[in-house]
Amino acid sequence: QSHMMSKTRSLVWLLVSLGVHASAQMARGLSSNAYKSTVGSRLAMTHGNLDPNRPIQRRRATTRLFSSVTPPLPPPLDVVVIGLEDVLVPQAGKSAKGELFKGLDFSMRRASMPYYVVTELSKEEASRYLNEAAEYFKDFTPDSPRLYSGDKLEAIKAISKRLPGNAKLHIVDKDVDVLETVASLPEVEADLYYAKWSGATEVDDVFKRASGKIALLEKDEFAGTMQWGFGLGDQLWDTYLTSNDGAPMEPKGKI
């Protein structure tokens, strides 16, 4: 009889334990559902008609948010067209030896922007002047795509067509007639600068031309600009050109 009572007591405790466990599981389930319902209701109040029982899909919403953000545009690429005669080299075509204007060597050696050279001399003669002026012009051979000879207007048009869509063209020359004509060309969009140190034209006359679209540029301003850029941040040669030592080299692609 004592043995039977012990078995009965054990069975009762087992049933009680199972009942407590089942009640706890049910309570947890109800609590979880209540929590989901509460969160869903609050989101519905804040963001519109949301199903309180629908799981919150945060990852998908985040993906949609970032996919709708437009990536920033790349900064403009400054490209400079520079006249050879009396802008880079004084008396080019008249003097026996090529040399840069005093004060330009340091900045041209460290030029931060791609540039072209235009000249009315033959390509062979222009190449000789540049190579005599500095060793970093060694890539300006007669067949260099960055050396244009002959009609400057045609050269500027050709260069403008070669540039990528995000390029900004800047032209520095002594020839005010050329600059004025470029200002009237609808197919060429460029900032125009008269090289004041060339002494080719009176300053007052420059201001009267092209409805004031031609800016005066001092030699030290030109030097600083070639080294540091036109206020749009450094545009290093190795971003656009192939270079091992920082000196200008032949361009990649169309530039």
Side-chain angles (χ1 to χ4, degrees):
Q1 184 178 3
S2 176
H3 180 68
M4 288 296 293
M5 289 180 65
S6 177
K7 281 188 174 182
T8 302
R9 194 178 295 113
S10 299
L11 180 60
V12 170
W13 277 112
L14 176 62
L15 292 174
V16 171
S17 299
L18 289 174
V20 171
H21 179 72
S23 299
Q25 288 288 88
M26 185 179 299
R28 278 196 292 268
L30 291 173
S31 178
S32 176
N33 289 335
Y35 172 76
K36 291 179 181 178
S37 177
T38 303
V39 172
S41 299
R42 289 179 181 174
L43 287 173
M45 292 173 63
T46 306
H47 301 289
N49 295 325
L50 295 177
D51 185 356
N53 297 315
R54 183 179 179 183
I56 303 171
Q57 299 180 359
R58 293 176 179 168
R59 180 175 298 177
R60 184 178 299 174
T62 303
T63 302
R64 286 199 302 268
L65 175 63
F66 282 99
S67 64
S68 64
V69 177
T70 304
L73 295 174
L77 165 63
D78 290 322
V79 179
V80 191
V81 174
I82 310 171
L84 173 65
E85 298 95 312
D86 298 322
V87 179
L88 285 177
V89 177
Q91 299 294 311
K94 301 176 183 178
S95 63
K97 185 179 180 181
E99 58 182 0
L100 288 178
F101 271 99
K102 185 178 180 180
L104 295 185
D105 178 73
F106 184 88
S107 296
M108 293 303 298
R109 185 182 297 275
R110 293 160 179 80
S112 64
M113 299 173 291
Y115 62 87
Y116 294 85
V117 175
V118 294
T119 177
E120 294 178 344
L121 303 176
S122 68
K123 281 197 169 187
E124 289 74 17
E125 192 174 9
S127 176
R128 179 181 67 81
Y129 273 112
L130 287 170
N131 278 269
E132 288 178 355
E135 76 282 358
Y136 48 82
F137 288 130
K138 65 181 182 300
D139 297 292
F140 282 87
T141 58
D143 58 350
S144 169
R146 289 169 51 216
L147 179 60
Y148 279 78
S149 171
D151 190 317
K152 289 184 178 181
L153 283 176
E154 293 304 317
I156 291 169
K157 290 178 184 179
I159 292 170
S160 178
K161 292 178 181 178
R162 287 170 56 93
L163 302 182
N166 67 325
K168 177 62 177 177
L169 189 61
H170 306 266
I171 303 173
V172 182
D173 198 26
K174 70 168 186 176
D175 195 329
V176 179
D177 291 335
V178 169
L179 296 174
E180 185 176 38
T181 304
V182 172
S184 66
L185 296 177
E187 68 270 30
V188 178
E189 184 177 348
D191 288 341
L192 309 174
Y193 302 90
Y194 168 67
K196 187 179 176 182
W197 64 96
S198 68
T201 305
E202 292 292 334
V203 171
D204 291 340
D205 187 41
V206 175
F207 284 125
K208 297 175 185 177
R209 310 285 287 272
S211 302
K213 295 180 181 179
I214 303 173
L216 293 179
L217 197 62
E218 299 282 358
K219 186 173 63 175
D220 58 343
E221 294 174 331
F222 171 70
T225 298
M226 288 305 298
Q227 183 175 355
W228 301 110
F230 282 89
L232 296 174
D234 293 348
Q235 299 176 351
L236 301 178
W237 277 97
D238 58 7
T239 304
Y240 309 105
L241 311 177
T242 303
S243 174
N244 295 322
D245 57 1
M249 302 290 285
E250 286 301 336
K252 294 179 180 177
K254 285 189 173 183
I255 300 174

